[in-house]
Amino acid sequence: TEAGDGTPPGDTIGFLELTDGNVIAVSGPDALALNAATAWGSVELPVGTIRDLSYFSRPRPGFRVRLEDGSRFTAFLSPGEILVNEAGGEDRAIRTAEIARFWRSDSTIEVAEFDAGYWLDFEETPSDRPLPGFLLQGNNLLAGSFGDESISLIENGIAIRVDPSRIRKLTRKIDLAEDGSPLFVIEWENGEQAEGSIEQAFVTILRGETQFIVPVERLLGYSAPTSD
């Protein structure tokens, strides 16, 4: 911040809070870039994509990350040092272990209790949910689309080849199939539905140029934008 008056420099784009309580105003499109590990793979977090991130120790330790595209997930920052562009100052090396929170200057700080509750359906998620997007176990919302060319749905013992691009919504049921696998309801673009289990053990989530391989057991839902 500006010396003496507590006002951040005019080029400030966000604030980085350290574990010792100090807050650093950062500036520039390359103010900081983080790499994080999630349950489904590594994620690059350029500063322009982050709304806010905060460390929580409960109910599960990790950083709760909220992105500009509506994604929300739990991650662990990759260990090491990053260079931070201080607003009105010079680059500064910060160990990721020192980071407690980051938020953009135009973003409301979100320190809600780890996104309270346990989401089982897209209707239970925040209104700024990503579309298209996936709901994964552990209150993880990830913007993206299916990267699979086809999905095999087992309906009444018969395997049906599904074109993921035609899926408007996928919802996991509470009930399980006879073999203990998850059951899903798929709603097509025309409103028709099918119900069954997904034959393959993993689905591919395509996020930009990055692919994530996610176990079907972790999949709770998918929703695509409506055409109306």
Side-chain angles (χ1 to χ4, degrees):
T1 60
E2 299 282 11
D5 67 0
T7 302
D11 59 349
T12 297
I13 67 166
F15 301 92
L16 187 67
E17 181 180 340
L18 305 182
T19 52
D20 63 6
N22 285 326
V23 177
I24 303 171
V26 300
S27 66
D30 301 317
L32 77 162
L34 299 169
N35 289 305
T38 71
W40 53 84
S42 299
V43 181
E44 293 184 1
L45 301 174
V47 67
T49 67
I50 307 171
R51 287 191 191 176
D52 48 65
L53 62 84
S54 300
Y55 180 79
F56 287 85
S57 58
R58 294 182 299 175
R60 298 169 297 279
F63 281 86
R64 191 64 180 165
V65 181
R66 187 168 64 134
L67 302 184
E68 289 291 339
D69 64 12
S71 297
R72 298 166 182 247
F73 51 84
T74 302
F76 296 91
L77 298 184
S78 300
E81 281 191 346
I82 61 170
L83 281 179
V84 175
N85 296 340
E86 287 195 67
E90 300 179 352
D91 290 351
R92 173 176 173 179
I94 298 290
R95 291 185 300 112
T96 55
E98 298 178 78
I99 297 175
R101 182 185 305 163
F102 171 81
W103 68 97
R104 290 181 62 86
S105 56
D106 58 354
S107 176
T108 302
I109 305 175
E110 182 162 296
V111 289
E113 309 221 342
F114 219 92
D115 288 320
Y118 188 76
W119 305 330
L120 297 175
D121 186 271
F122 264 92
E123 301 305 318
E124 301 172 356
T125 62
S127 59
D128 63 348
R129 64 183 72 92
L131 291 175
F134 293 83
L135 174 60
L136 307 177
Q137 287 181 341
N139 281 13
N140 292 300
L141 276 170
L142 190 63
S145 56
F146 280 103
D148 307 277
E149 290 186 3
S150 65
I151 293 174
S152 181
L153 184 73
I154 307 299
E155 184 178 26
N156 298 322
I158 301 174
I160 302 172
R161 186 176 179 181
V162 173
D163 178 359
S165 67
R166 293 183 53 230
I167 299 176
R168 194 193 73 80
K169 187 174 183 181
L170 179 147
T171 304
R172 181 166 172 169
K173 299 188 65 178
I174 297 177
D175 302 330
L176 299 175
E178 292 183 359
D179 63 358
S181 58
L183 282 174
F184 296 91
V185 175
I186 292 179
E187 181 179 324
W188 311 111
E189 295 169 322
N190 61 7
E192 295 182 358
Q193 295 185 346
E195 179 181 318
S197 58
I198 296 176
E199 186 173 30
Q200 56 262 57
F202 300 89
V203 294
T204 303
I205 295 178
L206 187 61
R207 178 181 168 82
E209 298 181 355
T210 305
Q211 287 188 344
F212 298 119
I213 309 300
V214 177
V216 168
E217 290 187 351
R218 296 188 65 89
L219 180 62
L220 294 180
Y222 167 79
S223 186
T226 58
S227 56
D228 45 54

